[in-house]
Amino acid sequence: MTATMKATVADIARSCGLSTATVDRVLNNRPGASAANRQRVMEAAKQLGYLPVVDQVVLPSRPAHLEFFLPIGSNAFMTDLANHIEDYAARLPLVASCRIHKLAGISPSALQAAVENLSLKANGVGVIAIDHPRTRNILREIVEAGIRLVTLVSDVPGAPRSAYVGIDNRVAGRTAALLMGRFLGGRPGHLAMIVGSRSYRGHEEREMGFRSVLSEEFRNLTVTSAVEINDEPDISYTATMKALHNEPELLGIYCVGAGRSGVAKALLEAKPQRKPVFICHDLTRATRGYLVDDLLDVVIDQNARLIAEQSVIRLLGSIASSAPYLTRKFIEPRLIFKENVPVQ
């Protein structure tokens, strides 16, 4: 039986009716080829099976340089995400280099300052950013420079990104409300909400989803405290202590973003007669402990490892694709209780 021969540059050139020099320029992402010719070459290369494929995403024929801009700070989830990105990228031959930029904050000015250090070799950029006019302009300039862009965790739909990698945050918020209502079993009362930052579209969507389900299915539950903490644990601690003091019979606490440790610290110190149902996002070393100690009832986890891997794959896929956007596909969130905490 004759083995299938891999297509060559000459095969691609014959298939699309262009010179081998043009095909070589496109495959190696060098200037000198029109957008139309790039599309013809990439389509022919895809049809001939020249390009590698992972999870049905066509990958570039040459190693790419990737850079990520993440507002890590003291956020354990962001730290885990950065570590997973670096680990996965290091194991992929198609990643020539992977660099993590740690943003000094979530403001557009912090992103702008970090982007000034973007390498001239960069082929793809992944970013977690707030949805703001200045942010969208920064991201637009990155794409106009010929660099592919994906947004992670919290989307910026107005930016010309090739893909969004993350969960459907509105659905995540709706899920949190459904769980809260089911946990409380029809009891009427008050809830507190700890919001990371409404500047993040993802946090805003979670809050909207949570409130929507309460109004649709659990009208006996009312959010009487909703504090924006800008992902600062000290502020979440103070806000939680105040809510517990003002509402001795507080039924539940929903932590939309970071600030989980502040809520946990307040619950431990206040020792309410009946612990409020506590729901948060992201499985970290700390939240594992809160689950096991019965301080936390459920984690709606984004799966940092999977987001990291898909962000790298989607970036590589966008670099290889002639289309401006890849097919939309959300990461499925996991519901983690103390009985099903996965092995690290």
Side-chain angles (χ1 to χ4, degrees):
M1 184 170 64
T2 304
T4 302
M5 299 292 290
K6 182 178 179 180
T8 65
V9 169
D11 293 330
I12 298 170
R14 280 193 295 270
S15 176
C16 63
L18 297 170
S19 69
T20 55
T22 298
V23 172
D24 184 71
R25 278 195 291 271
V26 173
L27 294 178
N28 288 285
N29 200 28
R30 291 199 295 266
S34 68
N37 283 345
R38 285 183 182 278
Q39 183 168 353
R40 289 168 63 185
V41 170
M42 296 307 290
E43 185 62 31
K46 180 179 178 181
Q47 294 296 328
L48 292 172
Y50 182 87
L51 302 175
V53 176
V54 172
D55 292 337
Q56 299 183 332
V57 176
V58 177
L59 303 181
S61 60
R62 297 290 185 272
H65 298 274
L66 309 181
E67 303 198 18
F68 291 84
F69 295 84
L70 309 178
I72 296 175
S74 60
N75 190 317
F77 169 78
M78 296 289 187
T79 299
D80 289 346
L81 179 63
N83 291 338
H84 285 304
I85 289 173
E86 289 181 321
D87 177 66
Y88 186 65
R91 293 185 280 115
L92 284 186
L94 280 173
V95 178
S97 66
C98 179
R99 184 182 178 194
I100 306 291
H101 298 263
K102 298 180 180 181
L103 301 182
I106 67 173
S107 68
S109 58
L111 177 62
Q112 182 67 69
V115 167
E116 297 297 329
N117 296 315
L118 180 63
S119 170
L120 294 176
K121 297 187 298 182
N123 307 113
V125 163
V127 64
I128 297 178
I130 62 174
D131 193 358
H132 184 278
R134 284 187 60 200
T135 300
R136 294 193 290 271
N137 188 60
I138 294 167
L139 299 181
R140 191 177 302 113
E141 289 177 348
I142 290 174
V143 175
E144 288 174 352
I147 299 170
R148 290 292 191 157
L149 172 75
V150 300
T151 54
L152 285 63
V153 180
S154 184
D155 199 9
V156 186
R161 79 283 191 270
S162 297
Y164 161 67
V165 181
I167 63 174
D168 184 328
N169 283 294
R170 186 176 177 85
V171 169
R174 292 180 64 87
T175 302
L178 182 64
L179 289 167
M180 184 70 76
R182 295 285 174 83
F183 272 128
L184 293 173
R187 281 188 289 155
H190 297 162
L191 308 175
M193 185 182 297
I194 305 296
V195 182
S197 173
R198 292 187 180 95
S199 297
Y200 281 123
R201 187 182 183 92
H203 289 189
E204 184 181 42
E205 289 173 342
R206 289 178 191 175
E207 181 179 0
M208 290 169 58
F210 188 83
R211 290 183 183 275
S212 293
V213 169
L214 290 186
S215 65
E216 293 164 10
E217 300 189 36
F218 304 103
R219 295 185 179 179
N220 57 321
L221 297 175
T222 305
V223 176
T224 55
S225 172
V227 180
E228 189 172 7
I229 64 160
N230 293 314
D231 286 350
E232 292 292 339
D234 290 344
I235 302 177
S236 70
Y237 164 77
T238 301
T240 305
M241 289 295 281
K242 183 177 180 180
L244 292 170
H245 179 267
N246 293 340
E247 301 278 354
E249 300 299 320
L250 188 70
L251 294 183
I253 301 172
Y254 174 40
C255 187
V256 174
R260 300 166 289 263
S261 61
V263 176
K265 180 182 177 183
L267 288 173
L268 285 171
E269 289 187 10
K271 294 183 174 61
Q273 188 171 7
R274 173 182 282 180
K275 183 190 79 67
V277 172
F278 178 22
I279 298 174
C280 75
H281 293 265
D282 303 329
L283 188 66
T284 65
R285 181 181 295 275
T287 55
R288 287 170 183 270
Y290 302 154
L291 284 169
V292 173
D293 294 338
D294 287 322
L295 196 63
L296 176 61
D297 294 278
V298 60
V299 170
I300 302 173
D301 183 45
Q302 311 184 70
N303 198 331
R305 179 191 58 79
L306 188 55
I307 289 179
E309 293 177 359
Q310 283 299 307
S311 66
V312 173
I313 292 299
R314 303 294 266 183
L315 260 185
L316 292 174
S318 67
I319 292 168
S321 175
S322 58
Y325 305 108
L326 300 181
T327 303
R328 190 175 190 181
K329 183 179 179 182
F330 288 118
I331 300 291
E332 292 293 333
R334 304 183 296 177
L335 299 182
I336 310 295
F337 304 87
K338 74 173 184 178
E339 295 294 344
N340 70 328
V341 177
V343 177
Q344 284 184 297

